[in-house]
Amino acid sequence: MGERSAAPTAPELVLETDTGSTVMSPSRDYHVGRDPLSEIVIDDARVSWHHAVLRVAGDHWTVEDEGSTNGTYADGRRVHEWGVGPGSVIRFGSPADGPRAVLVDRAPPPVRAPERLSAVSMPSATGAFRQPTSVRPLPARTVRIGRAADNDLVVDDLVVSRRHAELRALPDGGHEIVDLGSHNGTFLNGQPVARARVSPGDIVGVGHSAFCLVGDELQEYVDTGEVSLDVQDLTVAVDRGRKTLLHQVSFPVGEKCLLAVVGPSGAGKSTLLNALTGLRPADRGTVLYDGRDLYRDYAELRQRIGLVPQDDILHAQLTVRRALGYAAELRFPQDTAKSERRARVDEVIGELGLEQRAGQPIHSLSGGQRKRVSVALELLTKPSLLFLDEPTSGLDPGMDRSVMHMLRGLADDGRTVIVVTHSVLSLDVCDRILVLAPGGHIAYYGPPRDTLGFFGFGEWPEAFEAFERDRERDWAGEYARSPFHQRYVVSSSAQPHLHQGAAARVVGRPPKAQSWGAQLGTLVRRYAAALGADRTFLAIMIALPFVMGAMARALAGGKLTQETAMNALLILCVGGVLTGAANAVRELVKERVIYQRERAVGLSRSAYLMSKVVVLGTITVLQAVVLTLVALLGVNLGAPGGKGVVMPPLVEITVAVALLAFTAMMLGLLVSALVRKEEVTMPLLVLLAIVQVVFCGALLKLHGVPGIEQLAWLVPSRWALGGMAGTIGLSRIVPGELTGDPLFKHETGVWLLNMGMLVVLSVLFGYLVARLLRRHEPAVMRK
């Protein structure tokens, strides 16, 4: 559209809009509208299909309205044709909040790339994209990018693979980016790609670095942590929009800023935290991460966000160094050397002053020190944005202040830190305070020194009481009309205001720093180490099979008889169920916060579940073998002809008890995934054991009883007792109605059915556990 033949005398300008920047050459016209063929496309309902045109008139530029429905506004007034130049602000469709375009002088090389970065709204107002970190000629050959020293472009970043990607020259003069099987992914304009063509202005993301083609140059921008955050009109509603948790929340967060979010319960603090981290994107509104739409580019930017939940996210039985070491294995690429991981762990330990505590178990640390370890875990990958949820909860005033001063230091070192807190003891160390009123409204945003004065109170408790007492008061309106809002929100927001109807987008799964097998190996080693360090758990695991086995041995005596056989087998069933279920019933619920955080940064759900199955399954089967041997080794089992169905009788019974214990372990994991609190697992364990006893077939007649028989199919002990009874021919030893059960027959098909059903139940319980784990994951992971 619109080439001009006349020799231009007007200057070359850059037009910055909410969706990117365009270098305007005076040799052509630039049409603005919703028409995809326009040079400047603005997808907003208030903008006409052909809305306006920018063209040169002599020695200057003009904007001319093309008969648009809602008008064109330049320098605050509606215009038909108007002269514009550097500094002019043009709005389309509305003078107040219509889509905005700003004209600026084109900067001289080498700082000319920011105006052409398609995924950054206003590069000059960002930390990373103000100017390139490096500029190099673009060679007409393949450029390999990676962490290793033999790459053409070396990126010194542990989240980057040794050989990460290649920028390849194409025969037509263009370029494409090709991922080389990197563990943390290669991104084009925020989206993960395996191979894609790169156009001028596109952003290629590799770790914390971004590369952009500008003319015959390749420009690199490094996210060093000094980033801004612009929050625009965030709204979150639930119950199909009937209840609003967050209501048009807008505020800017500058570079190296420490922001505290405070407010009474129910004000939307946790909702805001989830929206800002992308774990539960807002229904409407925008979050700009250093000029980039966080939700749009979340697949890439999620790696630069650290989140420390209220509960500790480390295994308390492990030492500080060992826990951080396992976390580094999971988060860094698989090709990262052990020495590189160890060096990074030592670096964050030193940064947070944990050198003297590195060899201590985490559970032996004070509350403040444990919180430092949780922060250290998040700092491993050098996040630019660090969020903390109630980091001082439960700490005494001294520890409270210590943690807040630690956060102050982290911000000063070059990060943006946002902390959600109920504590108001140390807000003076923050740069900004965001106060949320009930209903998710902003009641105040600004420096801490002015907060109480703005509300007209002398103490924080008075302010919180007022929020609860005066729920009808228009807290948000009072702040919006105040000079604080104009100064600290409107005038401090450097980024243009983006209007979007719905912020939530489908976000791809995070890349996995390790393969599935490598993740499984790390998780198995970590879980085994955590269990091995728990002496109470070890003692119970060792003692339980011996105690239950001794009880069964006392009942069995030297031979299974009519008086002892049924009771001995019943005790074996109870022992197998208790052994397996007790091992697993707490294991998922107690690690739920750890799982949620690790899942958000790329942990495989199936690898996590399989690590539990492998470790607990091995322990459980060994316990079952010990239980059976203690109970029956040397006992005359009275099997027909001294033979089992398919194997020796003792081996068959051992297999049945082992499968029962394993299935009960899977059932324990199901209970652990189902409950919300660890405290309720023990009562459920007792209930579980009672159900197994009642429905195993040793106390009640199950065969032929409608409803009861079918319900018993889901009870593992039903099949295990059937297998053991078939092995010894229980109906022959103990004649009667109960032992006449068809599942007790001494037949190969029946025995295999009993064992097969235990396997089927194990698989079924495992599937249900996986589904329940998904329910507890961050919302963005379930899309």
Side-chain angles (χ1 to χ4, degrees), residues 179-347:
D179 185 80
L180 299 179
S182 67
H183 293 287
N184 280 321
T186 301
F187 301 86
L188 182 65
N189 296 326
Q191 302 305 309
V193 294
R195 178 190 296 265
R197 188 179 183 92
V198 182
S199 301
D202 286 345
I203 295 178
V204 176
V206 175
H208 288 79
S209 295
F211 299 91
C212 186
L213 305 183
V214 180
D216 58 354
E217 295 176 344
L218 179 63
Q219 303 194 349
E220 179 183 8
Y221 302 85
V222 179
D223 184 343
T224 60
E226 296 186 14
V227 300
S228 62
L229 194 71
D230 276 80
V231 182
Q232 301 178 355
D233 298 328
L234 289 194
T235 298
V236 176
V238 294
D239 295 336
R240 297 183 179 180
R242 288 191 293 267
K243 182 178 180 182
T244 301
L245 303 181
L246 213 61
H247 190 271
Q248 292 188 328
V249 171
S250 301
F251 59 90
V253 185
E255 301 166 21
K256 301 171 69 172
C257 177
L258 174 58
L259 166 67
V261 181
V262 300
S265 298
K269 299 188 296 298
S270 296
T271 303
L272 176 63
L273 184 68
N274 288 333
L276 296 182
T277 56
L279 296 181
R280 198 291 190 188
D283 300 305
R284 292 187 300 278
T286 307
V287 180
L288 290 179
Y289 172 101
D290 215 32
R292 299 177 66 179
D293 187 328
L294 175 66
Y295 297 151
R296 181 192 65 201
D297 299 350
Y298 188 67
E300 176 185 355
L301 298 180
R302 75 201 317 162
Q303 300 182 59
R304 308 184 196 178
I305 297 174
L307 172 61
V308 181
Q310 182 175 347
D311 297 320
D312 294 329
I313 52 177
L314 291 162
H315 292 81
Q317 301 89 349
L318 301 178
T319 64
V320 172
R321 189 182 302 280
R322 200 170 187 184
L324 293 177
Y326 284 124
E329 281 191 53
L330 289 173
R331 297 197 180 193
F332 290 140
Q334 197 169 332
D335 60 11
T336 307
K338 186 176 181 180
S339 58
E340 292 177 298
R341 293 197 304 267
R342 187 184 300 116
R344 181 57 188 156
V345 168
D346 289 340
E347 187 178 348

Side-chain angles (χ1 to χ4, degrees), residues 363-495:
H363 67 76
S364 68
L365 303 178
S366 67
Q369 291 165 348
R370 286 199 302 272
K371 192 57 63 177
R372 285 177 179 267
V373 179
S374 293
V375 172
L377 184 150
E378 292 300 313
L379 293 186
L380 286 172
T381 54
K382 298 185 177 180
S384 302
L385 271 177
L386 183 62
F387 294 87
L388 300 98
D389 188 9
E390 300 288 354
T392 61
S393 177
L395 301 183
D396 62 59
M399 283 294 182
D400 181 302
R401 190 156 188 84
S402 174
V403 169
M404 291 301 292
H405 276 278
M406 172 191 69
L407 301 182
R408 174 73 269 167
L410 293 176
D412 291 339
D413 287 341
R415 300 175 188 86
T416 300
V417 181
I418 299 178
V419 53
V420 173
T421 180
H422 277 103
S423 175
V424 294
L425 297 176
S426 304
L427 295 181
D428 58 302
V429 305
C430 300
D431 299 295
R432 293 287 184 269
I433 303 292
L434 171 65
V435 182
L436 290 178
H441 298 269
I442 290 187
Y444 174 83
Y445 180 80
R449 65 178 180 274
D450 297 324
T451 311
L452 288 174
F454 172 77
F455 292 126
F457 298 111
E459 302 291 340
W460 276 103
E462 298 175 6
F464 279 88
E465 287 177 0
F467 287 136
E468 295 295 334
R469 183 179 61 249
D470 302 333
R471 285 188 171 267
E472 300 303 318
R473 182 172 170 182
D474 185 12
W475 299 98
E478 291 179 15
Y479 178 70
R481 293 187 293 270
S482 73
F484 289 97
H485 179 262
Q486 180 65 36
R487 179 176 180 182
Y488 296 114
V489 176
V490 178
S491 300
S492 296
S493 297
Q495 291 292 331

Side-chain angles (χ1 to χ4, degrees), residues 138-194:
L138 186 62
R141 59 178 178 83
T142 296
V143 177
R144 193 172 67 200
I145 305 170
R147 198 176 77 250
D150 60 350
N151 288 287
D152 301 297
L153 273 174
V154 179
V155 180
D156 186 17
D157 186 348
L158 282 184
V159 301
V160 175
S161 297
R162 289 187 177 278
R163 289 167 178 79
H164 196 103
E166 286 182 350
L167 185 65
R168 297 176 181 173
L170 298 175
D172 62 2
H175 290 81
E176 68 174 359
I177 188 70
V178 179
D179 185 80
L180 299 179
S182 67
H183 293 287
N184 280 321
T186 301
F187 301 86
L188 182 65
N189 296 326
Q191 302 305 309
V193 294

Side-chain angles (χ1 to χ4, degrees), residues 48 50-51 64-70 80:
S48 298
H50 297 129
H51 196 104
E64 180 181 349
D65 187 271
E66 293 193 302
S68 66
T69 301
N70 295 315
H80 172 67

Side-chain angles (χ1 to χ4, degrees), residues 60 190 287 359 700:
H60 67 279
V287 180
L700 298 175

